[in-house]
Structure formats: structure tokens, C-alpha cells
Amino acid sequence: AGYYIAKWSKLSKKSSVTISMEVGLHNTVLAIYIATALLNNPSMALPGVVYAMFTFFTSAAFGIWKSGVKIPIKSLFTGKK
């Protein structure tokens, strides 16, 4: 949602991608904080922790996808271009 709100606000593509990543990362931290500090229930933080484990990978993939960077997948596994 962060990406499209930024685009609707007529921000640049670079700013829109940045905002969408930041919104996702901050929501993760916020969920963990609310569960542990405010609700004093660490088990409720588990979904936030699981989400946090995947956030960085999905954010990187989203940023690469939206930036239009072409990554030769074969070279990642073989080391050859």
C-alpha cells in the first residue's frame, strides 16, 4: 500500500520504492514492540518475528523488481556471466 500511496501522491519511482520498504520494515518493529512492551505478551510477537525473517528478502526483491535492474539468475549459481 505504501508504494501506491506514494505514487498517487505524485512522488518519484525511487521515493515510492523507498517509502514502501520503510513502511514494511517499520511495521515489523512496531508489531513486535506492541506485543512485547505494551501487551506484555511475547507469544503475540511471534508473527512479527516470522515476518521480520522474510522482510529483508522480500524488500530487496521488490526494490530490484521495481527498479528494473536485470539480474542474470544463472550467474548467481554458477559464478559465470
Side-chain angles (χ1 to χ4, degrees), residues 46-63:
L46 191 57
V49 171
V50 171
Y51 177 69
M53 294 182 346
F54 297 101
T55 299
F56 294 104
F57 301 112
T58 56
S59 293
F62 178 76

Side-chain angles (χ1 to χ4, degrees), residues 3-20:
Y3 178 79
Y4 293 107
I5 291 171
K7 288 305 282 182
W8 288 330
S9 299
K10 301 198 186 317
L11 295 176
S12 69
K13 185 176 187 177
K14 185 175 180 179
S15 294
S16 299
V17 169
T18 302
I19 289 171
S20 65

Side-chain angles (χ1 to χ4, degrees), residues 13-74:
K13 185 176 187 177
K14 185 175 180 179
S15 294
S16 299
V17 169
T18 302
I19 289 171
S20 65
M21 288 185 189
E22 287 295 323
V23 167
L25 295 174
H26 289 283
N27 282 346
T28 302
V29 176
L30 184 61
I32 294 169
Y33 173 75
I34 289 172
T36 56
L38 299 180
L39 300 176
N40 198 24
N41 189 345
S43 63
M44 287 184 71
L46 191 57
V49 171
V50 171
Y51 177 69
M53 294 182 346
F54 297 101
T55 299
F56 294 104
F57 301 112
T58 56
S59 293
F62 178 76
I64 291 168
W65 173 54
K66 282 306 206 177
S67 68
V69 172
K70 303 293 182 206
I71 297 179
I73 300 297
K74 256 187 193 174

